[in-house]
Amino acid sequence: MAPHGDKSDAADETMVAKAEKRPISTILIVLAMQSEALPVVNKLNLSEDLQSVFPKGVPWVRYRGFYKDLNINLVWPGKDSSLGVDCVGTVPASLVTYASIQALQPDLIINAGTAGGFKAKGACIGDVYVASDVAFCDRRIPIPVFDLYGLGLRQALSTPNLQKELNLKVGKLSTGDSLHMSTQDEASMVANDAVVKDMEAAAVAYVADLLKVPSVFLKVVIDIKDGEETTAEESSQRFAALERAVTQVTDFINGKCLSDL
Ligand code: SAH
């Protein structure tokens, strides 16, 4: 989220303005799946935090380490304790983001991951997108104002230099708790001009906005949602593309202030 602060709270705004002018120091990378997380962990030489900052018994996992001048924390919500699959989706993403912000006080959140893309909007498999804004596509509350609450539209931190330097595509991102896309979800995404669709970003954005932490959303397109819908397929090549994108963004961020991004 953009570090906009509460307009009624001048102290908040001053803190944000100061944060924008000092080099970014602590980064929180939030990912949903182990197969997305491990290539990044290896590349940035992070190690698992065995003295967890999280409540006892939760499956959430944190890796940490110093990379160049950055204190990096990478978290993922772990595996479901009874089913053994990755805890994808909005609820685990929001919980682990909340707990991580509370414990680590990051300067910046990077929510990275794989996503579906809309070819009608120009997305192709392998593209790396940075989201301009994020919204939910599956929270339909057809009552005035609650409809907007359901949509949950939030702006990402503005990163024109990062986008230009790394030649990243920019577009709107929609989040829903289903991998499958219903016709209503599709209509919502079309209405919202979405280019990419994932299962976590709008939830991370909600928490980041609550706690006033700027955030960027970096998504690698691994399947196409319109036309013939393909299901997300595991591929080490795609996770390697995500790792490269996260590393490039981290390299770019190193030594810079929020306002340089
Ligand atoms: N590639 C995995 C899919 C797991 S569920 C597999 O085949 O096992 C989907 C996860 O990938 C979520 O974390 C979601 O954010 C992301 N994702 C990838 N493609 C997606 C798509 N087309 N729609 C929604 N989420 C997608």
Side-chain angles (χ1 to χ4, degrees):
M1 300 311 303
H4 51 66
D6 182 340
K7 297 271 180 298
S8 64
D9 190 339
D12 243 21
E13 283 194 351
T14 312
M15 260 169 57
V16 169
K18 276 190 188 154
E20 281 185 54
K21 291 199 181 77
R22 64 173 164 75
I24 296 162
S25 160
T26 302
I27 295 190
L28 176 66
I29 303 173
V30 180
L31 290 141
M33 296 178 59
Q34 187 175 40
S35 41
E36 294 170 341
L38 291 184
V40 181
V41 165
N42 292 334
K43 177 70 185 198
L44 301 185
N45 207 12
L46 308 178
S47 30
E48 189 168 346
D49 178 24
L50 299 172
Q51 277 150 7
S52 180
V53 292
F54 300 135
K56 202 166 178 281
V58 298
W60 312 337
V61 183
R62 171 188 172 222
Y63 295 90
R64 59 186 298 195
F66 287 91
Y67 177 80
K68 300 188 173 174
D69 297 331
L70 296 168
N71 172 12
I72 312 252
N73 295 274
L74 181 151
V75 296
W76 71 287
K79 303 257 181 199
D80 183 274
S81 54
S82 42
L83 301 171
V85 294
D86 295 294
C87 295
V88 299
T90 61
V91 174
S94 58
L95 286 170
V96 79
T97 302
Y98 177 81
S100 302
I101 295 174
Q102 290 290 84
L104 308 167
Q105 302 289 313
D107 299 317
L108 178 71
I109 294 175
I110 302 173
N111 171 224
T114 53
F118 287 90
K119 75 166 183 248
K121 295 272 175 202
C124 303
I125 288 185
D127 282 349
V128 182
Y129 272 89
V130 61
S132 51
D133 47 61
V134 299
F136 292 96
C137 65
D138 58 356
R139 304 200 314 181
R140 291 177 286 279
I141 314 173
I143 304 171
V145 190
F146 277 104
D147 52 359
L148 293 176
Y149 166 77
L151 183 64
L153 179 68
R154 287 183 170 80
Q155 300 228 305
L157 177 70
S158 166
T159 53
N161 299 324
L162 174 100
Q163 289 156 17
K164 197 166 156 217
E165 177 82 13
L166 302 184
N167 203 17
L168 301 170
K169 286 188 155 183
V170 183
K172 296 188 176 203
L173 169 56
S174 256
T175 297
D177 263 307
S178 302
L179 182 61
H180 169 254
M181 183 175 67
S182 72
T183 48
Q184 284 116 319
D185 292 352
E186 186 169 9
S188 160
M189 285 185 266
V190 169
N192 196 36
D193 222 12
V195 188
V196 274
K197 150 86 174 51
D198 81 340
M199 296 173 64
E200 293 85 17
V204 172
Y206 172 74
V207 180
D209 191 27
L210 274 183
L211 300 179
K212 304 288 176 264
V213 185
S215 35
V216 297
F217 302 87
L218 190 67
K219 302 283 160 167
V220 174
V221 175
I222 65 162
D223 54 22
I224 293 298
K225 302 292 289 181
D226 50 348
E228 252 171 65
E229 193 182 349
T230 55
T231 47
E233 167 197 319
E234 294 275 348
S235 146
S236 55
Q237 234 184 338
R238 288 167 192 178
F239 297 127
L242 179 64
E243 174 273 296
R244 277 195 302 277
V246 173
T247 306
Q248 284 181 338
V249 168
T250 309
D251 282 333
F252 182 84
I253 287 170
N254 185 59
K256 294 196 173 62
C257 312
L258 290 173
S259 56
D260 297 332
L261 301 185

PDB file of all heavy atoms in Angstrom, residues 3 6 10 13 27 29 38 43 45 59 75 106 117 127 135 146 152 168 178 195 206 213 226 234 243 245 247 260:
ATOM      1  N   PRO A   3       2.197   4.635   1.326  1.00  0.00           N
ATOM      2  CA  PRO A   3       2.295   5.095   2.713  1.00  0.00           C
ATOM      3  C   PRO A   3       1.546   6.402   2.878  1.00  0.00           C
ATOM      4  O   PRO A   3       2.124   7.453   3.039  1.00  0.00           O
ATOM      5  CB  PRO A   3       3.791   5.279   2.914  1.00  0.00           C
ATOM      6  CG  PRO A   3       4.296   5.626   1.561  1.00  0.00           C
ATOM      7  CD  PRO A   3       3.394   4.959   0.561  1.00  0.00           C
ATOM      8  N   ASP A   6      -2.923   8.552   7.898  1.00  0.00           N
ATOM      9  CA  ASP A   6      -4.284   9.008   8.138  1.00  0.00           C
ATOM     10  C   ASP A   6      -4.265  10.525   8.068  1.00  0.00           C
ATOM     11  O   ASP A   6      -3.536  11.179   8.797  1.00  0.00           O
ATOM     12  CB  ASP A   6      -4.711   8.510   9.530  1.00  0.00           C
ATOM     13  CG  ASP A   6      -6.144   8.897   9.856  1.00  0.00           C
ATOM     14  OD1 ASP A   6      -6.678   9.839   9.224  1.00  0.00           O
ATOM     15  OD2 ASP A   6      -6.707   8.265  10.743  1.00  0.00           O
ATOM     16  N   ALA A  10      -1.512  14.054  11.902  1.00  0.00           N
ATOM     17  CA  ALA A  10      -0.318  14.709  11.369  1.00  0.00           C
ATOM     18  C   ALA A  10       0.952  13.945  11.760  1.00  0.00           C
ATOM     19  O   ALA A  10       1.902  13.866  10.977  1.00  0.00           O
ATOM     20  CB  ALA A  10      -0.249  16.135  11.882  1.00  0.00           C
ATOM     21  N   GLU A  13       1.701  11.262   9.374  1.00  0.00           N
ATOM     22  CA  GLU A  13       2.196  11.769   8.098  1.00  0.00           C
ATOM     23  C   GLU A  13       3.667  12.149   8.183  1.00  0.00           C
ATOM     24  O   GLU A  13       4.434  11.891   7.261  1.00  0.00           O
ATOM     25  CB  GLU A  13       1.368  12.971   7.640  1.00  0.00           C
ATOM     26  CG  GLU A  13       0.035  12.540   7.079  1.00  0.00           C
ATOM     27  CD  GLU A  13      -0.680  13.630   6.314  1.00  0.00           C
ATOM     28  OE1 GLU A  13      -0.216  14.785   6.364  1.00  0.00           O
ATOM     29  OE2 GLU A  13      -1.684  13.313   5.678  1.00  0.00           O
ATOM     30  N   ILE A  27      12.908  -5.504   4.957  1.00  0.00           N
ATOM     31  CA  ILE A  27      11.909  -5.888   3.954  1.00  0.00           C
ATOM     32  C   ILE A  27      11.194  -7.154   4.404  1.00  0.00           C
ATOM     33  O   ILE A  27      11.816  -8.072   4.933  1.00  0.00           O
ATOM     34  CB  ILE A  27      12.600  -6.194   2.607  1.00  0.00           C
ATOM     35  CG1 ILE A  27      13.248  -4.942   2.063  1.00  0.00           C
ATOM     36  CG2 ILE A  27      11.620  -6.714   1.594  1.00  0.00           C
ATOM     37  CD1 ILE A  27      13.718  -5.150   0.656  1.00  0.00           C
ATOM     38  N   ILE A  29       9.066 -10.115   2.720  1.00  0.00           N
ATOM     39  CA  ILE A  29       8.599 -10.739   1.481  1.00  0.00           C
ATOM     40  C   ILE A  29       7.544 -11.776   1.877  1.00  0.00           C
ATOM     41  O   ILE A  29       7.827 -12.673   2.676  1.00  0.00           O
ATOM     42  CB  ILE A  29       9.756 -11.417   0.714  1.00  0.00           C
ATOM     43  CG1 ILE A  29      10.872 -10.412   0.412  1.00  0.00           C
ATOM     44  CG2 ILE A  29       9.251 -12.072  -0.565  1.00  0.00           C
ATOM     45  CD1 ILE A  29      12.133 -11.036  -0.206  1.00  0.00           C
ATOM     46  N   LEU A  38      11.172 -21.289  -1.725  1.00  0.00           N
ATOM     47  CA  LEU A  38      12.514 -21.883  -1.583  1.00  0.00           C
ATOM     48  C   LEU A  38      13.556 -21.375  -2.583  1.00  0.00           C
ATOM     49  O   LEU A  38      14.706 -21.130  -2.187  1.00  0.00           O
ATOM     50  CB  LEU A  38      12.427 -23.413  -1.586  1.00  0.00           C
ATOM     51  CG  LEU A  38      11.755 -23.990  -0.322  1.00  0.00           C
ATOM     52  CD1 LEU A  38      11.789 -25.519  -0.323  1.00  0.00           C
ATOM     53  CD2 LEU A  38      12.382 -23.447   0.968  1.00  0.00           C
ATOM     54  N   LYS A  43      18.534 -18.318  -3.219  1.00  0.00           N
ATOM     55  CA  LYS A  43      19.247 -17.271  -3.954  1.00  0.00           C
ATOM     56  C   LYS A  43      19.743 -16.164  -3.006  1.00  0.00           C
ATOM     57  O   LYS A  43      20.864 -15.677  -3.138  1.00  0.00           O
ATOM     58  CB  LYS A  43      18.307 -16.681  -5.018  1.00  0.00           C
ATOM     59  CG  LYS A  43      18.880 -15.555  -5.801  1.00  0.00           C
ATOM     60  CD  LYS A  43      19.969 -16.032  -6.732  1.00  0.00           C
ATOM     61  CE  LYS A  43      20.603 -14.851  -7.423  1.00  0.00           C
ATOM     62  NZ  LYS A  43      21.331 -15.277  -8.618  1.00  0.00           N
ATOM     63  N   ASN A  45      20.230 -16.500   0.095  1.00  0.00           N
ATOM     64  CA  ASN A  45      21.002 -17.115   1.182  1.00  0.00           C
ATOM     65  C   ASN A  45      20.371 -16.854   2.562  1.00  0.00           C
ATOM     66  O   ASN A  45      21.064 -16.488   3.508  1.00  0.00           O
ATOM     67  CB  ASN A  45      22.433 -16.562   1.121  1.00  0.00           C
ATOM     68  CG  ASN A  45      23.416 -17.542   1.691  1.00  0.00           C
ATOM     69  OD1 ASN A  45      23.069 -18.698   1.929  1.00  0.00           O
ATOM     70  ND2 ASN A  45      24.625 -17.079   1.951  1.00  0.00           N
ATOM     71  N   PRO A  59       1.673 -22.972  11.673  1.00  0.00           N
ATOM     72  CA  PRO A  59       2.581 -23.517  10.641  1.00  0.00           C
ATOM     73  C   PRO A  59       3.415 -22.459   9.918  1.00  0.00           C
ATOM     74  O   PRO A  59       4.212 -22.783   9.051  1.00  0.00           O
ATOM     75  CB  PRO A  59       1.612 -24.203   9.663  1.00  0.00           C
ATOM     76  CG  PRO A  59       0.327 -23.451   9.803  1.00  0.00           C
ATOM     77  CD  PRO A  59       0.273 -22.945  11.226  1.00  0.00           C
ATOM     78  N   VAL A  75       8.401 -14.685   4.550  1.00  0.00           N
ATOM     79  CA  VAL A  75       7.459 -15.527   5.281  1.00  0.00           C
ATOM     80  C   VAL A  75       6.492 -16.204   4.309  1.00  0.00           C
ATOM     81  O   VAL A  75       6.166 -15.667   3.253  1.00  0.00           O
ATOM     82  CB  VAL A  75       6.653 -14.727   6.335  1.00  0.00           C
ATOM     83  CG1 VAL A  75       7.576 -14.170   7.407  1.00  0.00           C
ATOM     84  CG2 VAL A  75       5.820 -13.615   5.716  1.00  0.00           C
ATOM     85  N   PRO A 106       8.504  -3.979   9.296  1.00  0.00           N
ATOM     86  CA  PRO A 106       9.218  -3.754   8.023  1.00  0.00           C
ATOM     87  C   PRO A 106       8.987  -2.360   7.456  1.00  0.00           C
ATOM     88  O   PRO A 106       7.954  -1.730   7.720  1.00  0.00           O
ATOM     89  CB  PRO A 106       8.599  -4.807   7.088  1.00  0.00           C
ATOM     90  CG  PRO A 106       7.231  -5.027   7.640  1.00  0.00           C
ATOM     91  CD  PRO A 106       7.356  -4.883   9.135  1.00  0.00           C
ATOM     92  N   GLY A 117      -3.237 -14.711 -15.797  1.00  0.00           N
ATOM     93  CA  GLY A 117      -3.246 -13.445 -16.530  1.00  0.00           C
ATOM     94  C   GLY A 117      -4.359 -13.424 -17.567  1.00  0.00           C
ATOM     95  O   GLY A 117      -4.838 -14.482 -17.996  1.00  0.00           O
ATOM     96  N   ASP A 127       5.215 -13.401 -18.122  1.00  0.00           N
ATOM     97  CA  ASP A 127       5.307 -11.953 -17.841  1.00  0.00           C
ATOM     98  C   ASP A 127       5.435 -11.704 -16.335  1.00  0.00           C
ATOM     99  O   ASP A 127       4.818 -12.406 -15.537  1.00  0.00           O
ATOM    100  CB  ASP A 127       4.015 -11.228 -18.279  1.00  0.00           C
ATOM    101  CG  ASP A 127       3.947 -10.995 -19.774  1.00  0.00           C
ATOM    102  OD1 ASP A 127       4.965 -11.193 -20.462  1.00  0.00           O
ATOM    103  OD2 ASP A 127       2.859 -10.607 -20.245  1.00  0.00           O
ATOM    104  N   ALA A 135      -7.595  -5.491  -5.767  1.00  0.00           N
ATOM    105  CA  ALA A 135      -8.986  -5.518  -5.286  1.00  0.00           C
ATOM    106  C   ALA A 135      -9.427  -6.980  -5.201  1.00  0.00           C
ATOM    107  O   ALA A 135      -8.764  -7.862  -5.753  1.00  0.00           O
ATOM    108  CB  ALA A 135      -9.879  -4.760  -6.257  1.00  0.00           C
ATOM    109  N   PHE A 146     -21.364  -0.912   0.951  1.00  0.00           N
ATOM    110  CA  PHE A 146     -20.815  -2.241   1.240  1.00  0.00           C
ATOM    111  C   PHE A 146     -20.233  -2.856  -0.039  1.00  0.00           C
ATOM    112  O   PHE A 146     -19.301  -3.653   0.026  1.00  0.00           O
ATOM    113  CB  PHE A 146     -21.901  -3.180   1.793  1.00  0.00           C
ATOM    114  CG  PHE A 146     -22.122  -3.018   3.269  1.00  0.00           C
ATOM    115  CD1 PHE A 146     -23.239  -2.342   3.748  1.00  0.00           C
ATOM    116  CD2 PHE A 146     -21.225  -3.552   4.189  1.00  0.00           C
ATOM    117  CE1 PHE A 146     -23.447  -2.184   5.106  1.00  0.00           C
ATOM    118  CE2 PHE A 146     -21.429  -3.402   5.553  1.00  0.00           C
ATOM    119  CZ  PHE A 146     -22.542  -2.720   6.018  1.00  0.00           C
ATOM    120  N   GLY A 152     -12.816  -3.739  -1.958  1.00  0.00           N
ATOM    121  CA  GLY A 152     -11.552  -3.589  -1.203  1.00  0.00           C
ATOM    122  C   GLY A 152     -10.400  -3.076  -2.047  1.00  0.00           C
ATOM    123  O   GLY A 152      -9.270  -3.551  -1.922  1.00  0.00           O
ATOM    124  N   LEU A 168       9.235  -3.879 -16.093  1.00  0.00           N
ATOM    125  CA  LEU A 168       8.131  -4.702 -15.606  1.00  0.00           C
ATOM    126  C   LEU A 168       6.819  -4.206 -16.207  1.00  0.00           C
ATOM    127  O   LEU A 168       6.663  -3.015 -16.463  1.00  0.00           O
ATOM    128  CB  LEU A 168       8.044  -4.616 -14.077  1.00  0.00           C
ATOM    129  CG  LEU A 168       9.296  -5.076 -13.325  1.00  0.00           C
ATOM    130  CD1 LEU A 168       9.194  -4.732 -11.841  1.00  0.00           C
ATOM    131  CD2 LEU A 168       9.500  -6.572 -13.504  1.00  0.00           C
ATOM    132  N   SER A 178     -10.684 -18.499  -4.835  1.00  0.00           N
ATOM    133  CA  SER A 178     -10.762 -19.702  -5.668  1.00  0.00           C
ATOM    134  C   SER A 178      -9.725 -19.627  -6.775  1.00  0.00           C
ATOM    135  O   SER A 178      -9.498 -18.555  -7.341  1.00  0.00           O
ATOM    136  CB  SER A 178     -12.139 -19.812  -6.319  1.00  0.00           C
ATOM    137  OG  SER A 178     -13.138 -19.843  -5.344  1.00  0.00           O
ATOM    138  N   VAL A 195      -5.723  -7.272 -14.915  1.00  0.00           N
ATOM    139  CA  VAL A 195      -4.841  -7.928 -15.875  1.00  0.00           C
ATOM    140  C   VAL A 195      -4.348  -9.255 -15.300  1.00  0.00           C
ATOM    141  O   VAL A 195      -4.099 -10.210 -16.023  1.00  0.00           O
ATOM    142  CB  VAL A 195      -3.618  -7.039 -16.216  1.00  0.00           C
ATOM    143  CG1 VAL A 195      -2.808  -7.638 -17.348  1.00  0.00           C
ATOM    144  CG2 VAL A 195      -4.054  -5.647 -16.563  1.00  0.00           C
ATOM    145  N   TYR A 206      -4.839  -5.277   2.432  1.00  0.00           N
ATOM    146  CA  TYR A 206      -5.744  -4.851   3.511  1.00  0.00           C
ATOM    147  C   TYR A 206      -4.963  -4.673   4.816  1.00  0.00           C
ATOM    148  O   TYR A 206      -5.090  -3.657   5.504  1.00  0.00           O
ATOM    149  CB  TYR A 206      -6.857  -5.895   3.686  1.00  0.00           C
ATOM    150  CG  TYR A 206      -7.732  -5.652   4.883  1.00  0.00           C
ATOM    151  CD1 TYR A 206      -8.681  -4.633   4.879  1.00  0.00           C
ATOM    152  CD2 TYR A 206      -7.595  -6.426   6.043  1.00  0.00           C
ATOM    153  CE1 TYR A 206      -9.475  -4.401   5.991  1.00  0.00           C
ATOM    154  CE2 TYR A 206      -8.395  -6.200   7.156  1.00  0.00           C
ATOM    155  CZ  TYR A 206      -9.330  -5.185   7.123  1.00  0.00           C
ATOM    156  OH  TYR A 206     -10.113  -4.943   8.218  1.00  0.00           O
ATOM    157  N   VAL A 213       1.933   0.124   6.175  1.00  0.00           N
ATOM    158  CA  VAL A 213       3.227  -0.307   5.632  1.00  0.00           C
ATOM    159  C   VAL A 213       3.124  -0.280   4.104  1.00  0.00           C
ATOM    160  O   VAL A 213       2.226  -0.914   3.540  1.00  0.00           O
ATOM    161  CB  VAL A 213       3.600  -1.742   6.093  1.00  0.00           C
ATOM    162  CG1 VAL A 213       5.001  -2.107   5.612  1.00  0.00           C
ATOM    163  CG2 VAL A 213       3.504  -1.872   7.604  1.00  0.00           C
ATOM    164  N   ASP A 226      -8.483 -16.090 -19.450  1.00  0.00           N
ATOM    165  CA  ASP A 226      -9.555 -15.930 -20.433  1.00  0.00           C
ATOM    166  C   ASP A 226      -9.269 -16.811 -21.643  1.00  0.00           C
ATOM    167  O   ASP A 226      -8.193 -17.376 -21.780  1.00  0.00           O
ATOM    168  CB  ASP A 226      -9.724 -14.450 -20.846  1.00  0.00           C
ATOM    169  CG  ASP A 226      -8.417 -13.773 -21.255  1.00  0.00           C
ATOM    170  OD1 ASP A 226      -7.332 -14.346 -21.022  1.00  0.00           O
ATOM    171  OD2 ASP A 226      -8.479 -12.669 -21.801  1.00  0.00           O
ATOM    172  N   GLU A 234       2.578 -26.707 -11.843  1.00  0.00           N
ATOM    173  CA  GLU A 234       3.882 -26.580 -11.193  1.00  0.00           C
ATOM    174  C   GLU A 234       4.966 -26.628 -12.261  1.00  0.00           C
ATOM    175  O   GLU A 234       4.911 -27.458 -13.151  1.00  0.00           O
ATOM    176  CB  GLU A 234       4.114 -27.767 -10.238  1.00  0.00           C
ATOM    177  CG  GLU A 234       3.187 -27.795  -9.055  1.00  0.00           C
ATOM    178  CD  GLU A 234       3.686 -26.949  -7.905  1.00  0.00           C
ATOM    179  OE1 GLU A 234       4.852 -26.527  -7.938  1.00  0.00           O
ATOM    180  OE2 GLU A 234       2.894 -26.724  -6.981  1.00  0.00           O
ATOM    181  N   GLU A 243      11.773 -16.198  -8.807  1.00  0.00           N
ATOM    182  CA  GLU A 243      12.992 -15.932  -8.018  1.00  0.00           C
ATOM    183  C   GLU A 243      13.805 -14.807  -8.663  1.00  0.00           C
ATOM    184  O   GLU A 243      14.272 -13.893  -7.977  1.00  0.00           O
ATOM    185  CB  GLU A 243      13.818 -17.234  -7.903  1.00  0.00           C
ATOM    186  CG  GLU A 243      15.173 -17.093  -7.246  1.00  0.00           C
ATOM    187  CD  GLU A 243      16.263 -16.703  -8.239  1.00  0.00           C
ATOM    188  OE1 GLU A 243      16.569 -17.487  -9.162  1.00  0.00           O
ATOM    189  OE2 GLU A 243      16.795 -15.582  -8.091  1.00  0.00           O
ATOM    190  N   ALA A 245      12.749 -12.407 -10.564  1.00  0.00           N
ATOM    191  CA  ALA A 245      12.041 -11.130 -10.406  1.00  0.00           C
ATOM    192  C   ALA A 245      12.235 -10.582  -8.989  1.00  0.00           C
ATOM    193  O   ALA A 245      12.521  -9.389  -8.810  1.00  0.00           O
ATOM    194  CB  ALA A 245      10.558 -11.313 -10.719  1.00  0.00           C
ATOM    195  N   THR A 247      14.666 -11.244  -6.906  1.00  0.00           N
ATOM    196  CA  THR A 247      16.067 -10.849  -6.715  1.00  0.00           C
ATOM    197  C   THR A 247      16.339  -9.504  -7.395  1.00  0.00           C
ATOM    198  O   THR A 247      16.989  -8.628  -6.816  1.00  0.00           O
ATOM    199  CB  THR A 247      17.016 -11.937  -7.279  1.00  0.00           C
ATOM    200  OG1 THR A 247      16.662 -13.176  -6.685  1.00  0.00           O
ATOM    201  CG2 THR A 247      18.466 -11.623  -6.968  1.00  0.00           C
ATOM    202  N   ASP A 260      12.527   6.839  -3.908  1.00  0.00           N
ATOM    203  CA  ASP A 260      13.343   6.585  -5.105  1.00  0.00           C
ATOM    204  C   ASP A 260      12.738   5.492  -5.979  1.00  0.00           C
ATOM    205  O   ASP A 260      13.205   5.244  -7.083  1.00  0.00           O
ATOM    206  CB  ASP A 260      14.750   6.077  -4.740  1.00  0.00           C
ATOM    207  CG  ASP A 260      15.551   7.081  -3.959  1.00  0.00           C
ATOM    208  OD1 ASP A 260      15.309   8.289  -4.133  1.00  0.00           O
ATOM    209  OD2 ASP A 260      16.414   6.644  -3.189  1.00  0.00           O
TER     210      ASP A 260
END
